[in-house]
Amino acid sequence: MKQLNRFSKYAWGVLAYNLLVILWGAFVRASGSGAGCGGHWPLCNGVVIPQAPQVQTLIEFTHRLMSGLSLILVVGLFIWAFRAYPKRHPARLGASLSLLFIVTEALVGAGLVLFSWVAQNASLGRVISTAVHLVNTFFLLAALTLTAWWGSGGERLRLHRQGLTLWGLGLGLLGVILLGVTGTITALGDTLFPSPSLAAGLQQDFSPTAQFLIRLRVWHPLIAITVGLYLIFASLMLAKSRPSPRTKRFAGLLSGLILLQLMAGLVNLVLLAPVWMQLLHLLLADSLWIALVLLSANTFAASQTGYRLQEEPSPLGPVIHTHVTD
């Protein structure tokens, strides 16, 4: 990775800011403030700026302001990428995907409000839309991560002739998405149907008469353990098969985050999912996803599969072109 230029610093900053927006969005859900602006979108209770707002309105309105700024930042990222880099440069692709997913993120969020899938709503529609929201968020984070990676001198990806490595990492990415979906459904169940004690919660999880969100909670820890062990094994295999310092670094980071996430999940369960622990759990999940995306990008870097890099000067820093050498 070359020294960061101005674009790459901006791209990493946009990624970090979006993590804050995601965490605040989770706080909106955990605090029951999703209906703070009523059923209005993009207005808040029918006005641009709410007058004499309640606490829930302030929480929801703050999230909307943060989301609006996030959209502006990604639009800036998109424009800058197309001005700074030549045609077919991967940073342009990453910025384009980032813009696409930030728009769909806003649309999904608007749908939650307009269909009243907020606050204490426990319908199947809310569960599905929440899962879709999580998947779109992961795609957005992946696009922003790759944009920052490519803007920092990361190489374009070469996916063909990758064999079992492609399938192995692809399965890991799908596993983390599934884990994230079950996690967000579990968090919704914890918010809507809090348990008075750990024993009572476990009893509810296995009760055939319990609400379906409660019965779904039992699957998340099982999936977490399975996906976590698989990713640690895959990371170790990658570190051995492609023993570059960067691969080892990303593999170690991913394994460490998995262990932290499993411990956080256990603490979250024992403490009956307090809001602060839910936010920490989510931050670790997003960080784990970003680490897996970076490990995958490094694994499929063009130079590791027969490409070489040539740099050309740019007023914004290095511009990378790839040339086939095989």
Side-chain angles (χ1 to χ4, degrees), residues 66-315:
M66 293 176 68
S67 299
L69 177 57
S70 178
L71 175 60
I72 294 172
L73 292 175
V74 173
V75 169
L77 183 73
F78 173 80
I79 295 173
W80 195 346
F82 274 75
R83 289 175 61 90
Y85 296 99
K87 291 182 179 179
R88 301 185 63 183
H89 191 281
R92 283 189 168 196
L93 172 62
S96 299
L97 291 174
S98 299
L99 181 59
L100 170 65
F101 290 126
I102 196 70
V103 171
T104 53
E105 186 87 340
L107 293 176
V108 173
L112 288 170
V113 173
L114 295 176
F115 287 99
S116 298
W117 289 330
V118 292
Q120 298 304 307
N121 184 290
S123 65
L124 180 61
R126 183 178 186 183
V127 174
I128 294 174
S129 61
T130 299
V132 171
H133 204 358
L134 183 280
V135 173
N136 190 87
T137 297
F138 270 14
F139 286 167
L140 172 62
L141 289 177
L144 289 171
T145 299
L146 289 173
T147 304
W149 166 263
W150 286 323
S152 303
E155 305 157 39
R156 68 176 67 248
L157 309 184
R158 189 183 187 188
L159 300 180
H160 67 284
R161 296 181 182 178
Q162 294 289 351
L164 291 177
T165 302
L166 178 61
W167 287 100
L169 281 176
L171 183 60
L173 290 165
L174 289 176
V176 174
I177 290 175
L178 175 61
L179 179 59
V181 168
T182 58
T184 195
I185 293 174
T186 298
L188 178 61
D190 290 336
T191 299
L192 298 179
F193 307 102
S195 302
S197 67
L198 179 60
L202 292 175
Q203 185 177 8
Q204 289 176 340
D205 291 347
F206 293 97
S207 172
T209 61
Q211 209 271 355
F212 77 98
L213 277 175
I214 297 177
R215 296 199 305 272
L216 287 175
R217 293 190 305 201
V218 71
W219 291 102
H220 180 61
L222 297 176
I223 294 173
I225 294 172
T226 302
V227 173
L229 291 177
Y230 172 80
L231 286 176
I232 291 175
F233 173 78
S235 299
L236 291 175
M237 292 299 99
L238 273 177
K240 288 183 178 180
S241 62
R242 304 189 181 189
S244 69
R246 190 181 296 166
T247 300
K248 291 181 178 180
R249 223 168 23 241
F250 285 138
L253 174 63
L254 178 61
S255 298
L257 286 171
I258 291 170
L259 294 176
L260 283 175
Q261 182 71 317
L262 290 174
M263 287 189 290
L266 179 60
V267 173
N268 192 50
L269 176 64
V270 172
L271 296 182
L272 302 178
V275 173
W276 67 268
M277 195 63 220
Q278 290 186 45
L279 297 183
L280 177 60
H281 201 29
L282 176 60
L283 177 60
L284 287 172
D286 289 339
S287 301
L288 189 157
W289 171 253
I290 292 171
L292 181 56
V293 170
L294 288 172
L295 176 61
S296 302
N298 180 73
T299 299
F300 301 131
S303 65
Q304 296 199 49
T305 52
Y307 279 57
R308 64 181 173 85
L309 294 178
Q310 177 179 336
E311 293 186 15
E312 293 183 5
S314 165

